[in-house]
Amino acid sequence: MEKKIAVLGGGTGISTILRGLKFYSKNISAVVSMSDDGGGSGILREELNILPPGDVRRCLIALSNADETLKELLNYRFKSGTLKNQNVGNILIAALADIFGSFDRALIEMSSVFNVTGKIIPVTLDETHLVAEFLSKDKVVGESYIPKMCYRLNTRIEKMSMIPHYPRANDDALRAILDADIVIIGPGSLYTSIIPNFLVAGINEALRDTKAHIIYIANAMTQRGETKNYSLRDHFEAILKHSSYEFIDEVIANNYRATEDVYNYYYKKEESMPIFASDDDRKYFEEKNVLLTEGKFIDVKDGFIRHDGKKIGSCIFERTFL
């Protein structure tokens, strides 16, 4: 019987993982954070009063089995005119939400039209706004503003919360987690894509109660404005701090080193550094009774580092099911 997988995160980060996982299971639920307020998604959210479509669109493309031309159409962004910077896929989701009267129904219809493997599920159907409190005690509201303000203040994020406080979880998201055999968290922006899922009422309890093996896929690089100088342990502890229970069974971390040229580019352009497990990290996870799995889990293409969904899928499925 095919194993059930639930993947939690934001669309940009988890989409690469979804592309790899669909080679191993067709029973995939992508549970996606819903606090994006930047770019085209932010405009549609404000003008049409809908949930932000950008992250779910990325997951839809990742799990779609449609013709490549149709996938390119969903990703196409207008370059001029009144629709400049707006995305075709986002507009289609907004139109279907208007036609069928709900955002989640729009995703069901899009999934059918574009032959999607599995399900794409908003973590909440409530309108939400992210709030960050920094070590400097300053606060900022809005996902798109948080990294910029953190960088400008040259500080760290102390605590994340939401407006409204603890919005209601989507029942389908809770069901996906509780019914899963494997739950995968991440990768993605720690404070603006991953942690927002734990701020939704009911998600932490579902992660506590599920019988699934829960895996956190660590980021390969730090992120300016969110995780500057963070270690692997720092990422893990930030998740623990924003969740009510210690539910993670395993951490998957990349240990493949790209060339110095690649890292120099990231440092100069993004002030971003690679994340590798140290001996202290290994000891920490051993004491926590959390399995740390290290391997070559990235791909370097045209100088850019990306997680390799097929390698991660192979690691999880070959080890877990053979």
Side-chain angles (χ1 to χ4, degrees), residues 15-149:
S15 59
T16 56
I17 305 302
L18 294 173
R19 289 189 191 95
L21 290 178
K22 72 179 184 180
F23 289 97
Y24 296 92
S25 176
K26 291 180 172 57
N27 205 330
I28 302 171
S29 296
V31 180
V32 188
S33 59
M34 285 282 107
S35 298
D36 186 10
D37 62 1
S41 283
I43 293 170
L44 290 174
R45 177 177 178 175
E46 183 177 347
E47 293 186 354
L48 301 180
N49 194 30
I50 64 167
L51 291 172
D55 282 356
V56 291
R57 185 200 80 245
R58 294 181 184 94
C59 292
L60 189 149
I61 294 170
L63 291 174
S64 174
N65 299 294
D67 182 88
E68 289 301 317
T69 301
L70 288 177
K71 293 182 186 179
E72 286 185 29
L73 174 65
L74 288 179
N75 250 342
Y76 180 76
R77 194 174 297 274
F78 292 95
K79 298 177 178 61
S80 61
T82 56
L83 290 176
K84 185 177 180 180
N85 294 326
Q86 197 52 265
N87 182 282
V88 170
N90 289 357
I91 293 172
L92 287 175
I93 293 171
L96 288 170
D98 191 43
I99 291 169
F100 291 101
S102 71
F103 190 83
D104 51 340
R105 177 66 189 278
L107 295 182
I108 292 171
E109 296 299 328
M110 284 282 287
S111 296
S112 175
V113 170
F114 289 93
N115 190 19
V116 165
T117 295
K119 299 176 182 177
I120 297 144
I121 304 170
V123 69
T124 179
L125 297 174
D126 292 347
E127 182 182 356
T128 61
H129 299 275
L130 275 182
V131 182
E133 181 178 337
F134 304 111
L135 284 174
S136 62
K137 302 306 177 184
D138 295 285
K139 288 186 179 181
V140 66
V141 179
E143 180 187 300
S144 60
Y145 299 105
I146 290 169
K148 298 173 186 175
M149 186 61 70

Side-chain angles (χ1 to χ4, degrees), residues 6 8 31 172-180 183 203 206-207 210-212:
L8 277 71
V31 180
D172 289 339
L174 297 177
R175 194 174 301 112
I177 293 168
L178 290 169
D179 291 347
V183 172
I203 294 298
L207 289 164
T210 184
K211 298 294 190 277

